[in-house]
Amino acid sequence: DGPTLLALPWKEFAVNLSDGSFQINNKPLRIQEVSNSGLGTGLNVWDGSVVLSKYLEANAEKYVIGKNILEVGAGTGLSGLAAGFLGAKRVILTDLEYSINNLKNNIQVNQASIVGVNASQNKTATSFSVQARVLDWFDPEASEIWPIDGYDWDIILAADVVWIESLILPLVRTLRFICSKVATSHGYSPLILLSYQCRSKLIEELFFGALAEYSFRVVSVPVEDVKSERIQIFQIKFQTDTTKST
C-alpha cells in the first residue's frame, strides 16, 4: 500500500489577497495564487501563513525589524513578504522549483511597499533585499541560501509546512542543518517561528518527536491578534553546547 494522503481543510479565513484588502503595517499586501495547477500545495495561501503574518506584525520590533529572515516552505511568500513590509533587513523565500516563478511575481508586485517601508526607517533601498531561491529539504546542502556579505539568519519562518509524514524528517534535518551551520559560524542558533495546524495526531507525534530527537526546544506562544481554532504558533530553538546558554 502507498502512503496515506491527508485531506487538507480549506481556508478558515475569508481573506482576499489579490485586491489589496489584506494589509500589513497599513499597506496592502497582494498575493497571486495559482489554482488547480496540479504542481503542488505551494501555489496557494494557507491559513498558517495568514496567522504568522499577523503574529509578525504584532511582534515586529522583537522578531522582524533589522533581522535577516529565511522562510522555508514559503509557498506564495505571504509570511516572508509580511516581514519585508515590517522592516526586515533581508528576506529569502525558499521552496521547490515549481514555486519560484510565482514567488518572484509576488515579490515584484509588492516591491514598492517593501522598499518604502525600509526607506522610511532611514535605510537606503539597496540595504534591503528580498529574494526567492530553491531549497529542497531532501538536499539542503545544494541550496543557495547562504549570504555572501557576512550576515547570517536571525529568524526562520515556517508556515503550515507539516502535513505529510514523508516530509517530517527532511524538514527537521534541514532546520538542523541550517541552525547548526549558523551556530558553528556565529555561536547562536536562529529562532524558528512555526505556524502549525494539526491534521493528524500521528503526524503531530512524529514531528514533535523528531524535533526533540534532533535537539530542538519547542515552546508554544499565545496568538492574540488572529483568533484561530486550528493554528498554533511555536518558537523553536536548536540546542547545542554552544547555544544552550543563549
Side-chain angles (χ1 to χ4, degrees), residues 159-224:
D160 222 345
V161 295
V162 182
W163 61 277
I164 189 168
E165 182 178 348
S166 62
L167 296 179
I168 290 174
L169 281 180
L171 170 59
V172 173
R173 288 168 177 163
T174 294
L175 293 173
R176 183 187 63 172
F177 170 73
I178 296 168
C179 291
S180 62
K181 189 165 183 176
V182 174
T184 299
S185 300
H186 298 281
Y188 71 89
S189 179
L191 176 66
I192 302 165
L193 296 176
L194 169 72
S195 178
Y196 171 78
Q197 179 174 177
C198 178
R199 295 190 173 92
S200 159
K201 284 297 182 183
L202 173 61
I203 298 297
E204 182 170 282
E205 290 172 3
L206 290 171
F207 175 61
F208 287 101
L211 286 173
E213 179 183 350
Y214 283 85
S215 300
F216 286 95
R217 178 171 55 86
V218 181
V219 178
S220 177
V221 296
V223 180
E224 299 176 353

Side-chain angles (χ1 to χ4, degrees), residues 34 37-44 46 73-76 94-105 133-135 163 167:
V34 181
S37 69
L39 295 175
T41 57
L43 298 176
N44 297 106
W46 298 93
T76 60
T94 70
D95 212 311
L96 294 175
E97 182 70 45
Y98 78 89
S99 297
I100 298 302
N101 283 341
N102 193 49
L103 277 171
K104 288 181 177 178
N105 288 338
R133 297 184 188 174
V134 173
L135 173 59
W163 61 277
L167 296 179

